[in-house]
Amino acid sequence: MSTLAPLVPNRFLHDSAKELSASLTRTMRPATAFAATAVVLTTVAAILLEAASIGGGLSAVDFPLGKTLLMETSVGHAMLTELITSVALATAVVAKSPRLVVGLAGLMLYQLTSVGHGAGIGIEFVEAVHILCGCAWLGALVPFVLALKTANLGVPRCDVSAAMRRFSLVGHSAVAGAITGGLATAGSVAGGRLFGLSFRYGSVLAIKVIAVGAMAALAVVNRYVLVPRIRTNVRSPLAINAATEVPLGLIAIASVALLGIADDPH
């Protein structure tokens, strides 16, 4: 999921700030290309590792084994779909089609629900809301910080202000969806016994909760303390707070990966 997050950013300001949007699109293009490449490579690597686990090592991986994995197993079907989507995503990046990039990135994030915590227990939609909102929140932070910095680089102040307002509007929904979906997913996976979790699983879950809680606290300070004072010299603390949310978000994503390989919740 972390490699997909940078692919979900800029559209919140496209219609309200044309000049700013063009500037940020150019600035974000290398990161977008890197992220798309990483998605393709990690998808291929996951297929190879899964085949190696079946065959008893990388030396045993060959075309017949890979074909059997992708064509005759449910895990392989999901991986094949991810591979096709990732190649389409990289193609859209090369073709410089931002809307298609965002759509395909969202589709790949939705595909994660087929192998995520909600798979098989009927909460795939809830988990999809959690993942999509969380990545929209995290992914938009980078262009948000860049937009603040452009205020002193010749971009009209009205464009920056319009972007801030639109980010605030979308951010409310993204934060609410990420937290609500996360709580619902955690409750369903834990079977209503949050205090009966294994130590390992509970510790990783606690790290995720703390990271997301800190992100939410910074977002509240930004929105209700700093943004109303945007006409004064608060852009630096606003950018610092937003930038601090990025590593916190990466910690939350890393904890999700650990939860995926952790022991049974109970």
Side-chain angles (χ1 to χ4, degrees), residues 80-168:
L80 180 59
T81 301
E82 290 177 7
L83 179 61
I84 293 171
T85 310
S86 68
V87 172
L89 178 64
T91 303
V93 171
V94 173
K96 298 179 181 179
S97 178
R99 293 183 184 277
L100 184 57
V101 168
V102 172
L104 288 169
L107 177 60
M108 285 202 73
L109 290 169
Y110 181 79
Q111 289 170 350
L112 292 176
T113 62
S114 65
V115 294
H117 301 312
I121 58 176
I123 58 167
E124 288 85 353
F125 176 77
V126 174
E127 188 178 13
V129 170
H130 173 56
I131 293 174
L132 291 170
C133 288
C135 282
W137 178 8
L138 176 59
L141 286 171
V142 175
F144 177 78
V145 173
L146 292 175
L148 289 171
K149 293 183 176 181
T150 61
N152 297 320
L153 298 178
V155 175
R157 185 181 294 269
C158 60
D159 279 2
V160 176
S161 297
M164 297 304 100
R165 289 193 298 272
R166 189 167 184 187
F167 177 86
S168 176

Side-chain angles (χ1 to χ4, degrees), residues 14-36:
H14 177 72
D15 295 325
S16 61
K18 299 292 184 181
E19 183 176 343
L20 179 59
S21 178
S23 174
L24 291 182
T25 298
R26 289 192 298 270
T27 303
M28 292 289 296
R29 191 166 291 143
T32 302
F34 173 81

